[in-house]
Amino acid sequence: MAETRIGFIGLGIMGGPMAMNLLRAGFPLTVYNRTRNKETSLVAEGAVAADSPAATADASDVVITMLPDTPDVESVYFGVDGVFNRVRPGHLLIDMSTVSPAIARKIHQAAVERGADSLDAPVSGGDVGAKAGTLSIMVGGSVDAFERARPIFQAMGKNIVHVGDAGAGQVTKACNQIVVALTIEAVGEALVLAKKSGVDPSRVRQALLGGFAQSRVLDVHGQRALEGRFEPGFRIRLHRKDLTIALEAAQQLEVSVPVTAMVHDMMNSVLAQGWGEQDHSILIYELARRANIDIS
Ligand code: NAP
């Protein structure tokens, strides 16, 4: 299986280390990133740099994309010099970005029309999971395509779940992002209330970690906030994008998601402060600001 030639487009915080893990697993790799110097470390380890998404597809059996947002995915697949200029029968296209279920279904339809196949396979686990090869991968598409991609996913992740047809992976990721965002908000409200009450928030975190309120968010982001470390990680601008996807789906389906809407609004406020490129745990800092305290 290691002979499968992979093309990887989008070498940012997540895509860079994911591509590196594929290279280290022995897959021949072609890479492309808009800002070209992000390809350097991968080329030094044996990857080949292509000049465009189309050239990346040409050189590969499987194309993987890891891009910021839905318009980026749209342009990389369907734009000038995009992937679909060179898609041929047998190609497998795997979009691992967090984007709308609608674009996942559009890529799938276009792929199938050309005798190719696609999977939407967004991830959870952050930059730490990307580097360690321990991402959770939630996959939409056919069972055949999923089985074909399994060895590729195993080089990047651990909890790899086929959830349903095209678009199902992105629906799952939207659900994931609701839980993570609302948990950050809850952890933030708790730590800010503790501090304002004159109780040491680091002791509160320690106490809560042993009980039913325990979570990875309390553990990792609680600690980050207490140390005042908000370098990304996961940029809050991207998390707001994910809640926008969830809110659009909820609106279309007439599902009430009141707290998601509220946290989305909080994120607007964070972006208005000029903190969009900071880690999403900065939501806790914003709550502290509103309470007129310093949480770290
Ligand atoms: P990122 O650091 O911004 O990386 C995105 C990369 O895509 C950048 O290197 C960017 O290049 C490149 N790119 C953008 N448009 C392109 C184009 N048209 N052609 C080629 N390359 C292009 O973002 P990230 O944090 O890795 O996130 C990627 C995706 O994973 C997002 O959908 C995000 O929501 C999701 N995600 C992120 C995390 C996390 O913890 N970071 C966790 C789970 C899921 P430039 O250098 O030119 O901008």
Side-chain angles (χ1 to χ4, degrees):
M1 188 65 196
E3 299 78 46
T4 300
R5 297 169 308 155
I6 299 178
F8 205 111
I9 302 170
L11 305 169
I13 289 175
M14 297 296 287
M18 289 162 71
M20 190 63 88
N21 283 332
L22 291 171
L23 205 52
R24 290 181 178 157
F27 290 101
L29 195 69
T30 300
V31 292
Y32 174 73
N33 192 78
R34 183 175 55 192
T35 305
R36 302 304 306 273
N37 65 12
K38 290 193 181 172
E39 297 156 1
T40 310
S41 58
L42 290 154
V43 170
E45 296 257 349
V48 174
D51 287 338
S52 66
T56 308
D58 227 7
S60 314
D61 306 305
V62 174
V63 178
I64 299 178
T65 43
M66 192 55 168
L67 300 159
D69 201 350
T70 302
D72 306 306
V73 170
E74 176 93 37
S75 85
V76 162
Y77 280 92
F78 297 101
V80 178
D81 266 344
V83 168
F84 272 108
N85 288 301
R86 304 289 173 83
V87 167
R88 51 183 189 270
H91 248 139
L92 178 58
L93 314 176
I94 308 176
D95 182 32
M96 303 188 77
S97 329
T98 304
V99 290
S100 72
I103 186 75
R105 295 183 189 116
K106 181 175 171 181
I107 291 169
H108 187 69
Q109 189 181 343
V112 169
E113 280 167 5
R114 290 163 175 79
D117 207 342
S118 78
L119 295 168
D120 46 298
V123 304
S124 174
D127 57 324
V128 174
K131 286 180 194 138
T134 56
L135 292 168
S136 276
I137 308 179
M138 30 209 120
V139 189
S142 72
V143 173
D144 282 356
F146 177 70
E147 289 306 332
R148 187 176 160 200
R150 191 191 287 276
I152 297 170
F153 290 146
Q154 282 169 337
M156 298 183 282
K158 287 273 177 276
N159 183 35
I160 302 157
V161 181
H162 180 240
V163 275
D165 293 338
Q170 295 298 353
V171 171
T172 309
K173 177 66 185 183
C175 298
N176 183 83
Q177 294 306 79
I178 290 174
V179 174
V180 173
L182 274 53
T183 308
I184 297 173
E185 174 71 17
V187 165
E189 290 184 12
L191 296 182
V192 168
L193 181 63
K195 178 95 186 242
K196 196 88 184 188
S197 307
V199 178
D200 181 351
S202 65
R203 300 259 177 114
V204 170
R205 172 183 166 276
Q206 196 184 344
L208 267 54
L209 278 175
F212 202 49
Q214 195 277 343
S215 70
R216 289 270 296 152
V217 169
L218 175 63
D219 186 6
V220 177
H221 287 351
Q223 188 60 27
R224 260 177 173 278
L226 294 172
E227 292 174 5
R229 289 189 295 105
F230 299 113
E231 78 287 350
F234 183 43
R235 291 186 284 134
I236 193 162
R237 182 183 301 286
L238 291 179
H239 204 156
R240 183 186 66 155
K241 171 253 313 177
D242 299 345
L243 291 194
T244 304
I245 292 168
L247 290 176
E248 281 169 3
Q251 183 173 319
Q252 274 166 18
L253 298 166
E254 298 179 350
V255 174
S256 173
V257 286
V259 187
T260 302
M262 217 176 283
V263 177
H264 183 267
D265 184 68
M266 286 280 298
M267 289 180 173
N268 287 341
S269 171
V270 170
L271 265 62
Q273 306 288 326
W275 301 332
E277 307 311 309
Q278 301 296 308
D279 190 72
H280 57 166
S281 53
I282 202 161
L283 200 55
I284 300 172
Y285 187 84
E286 167 65 6
L287 285 162
R289 187 188 69 82
R290 291 182 180 199
N292 200 26
I293 56 165
D294 185 0
I295 192 70
S296 55

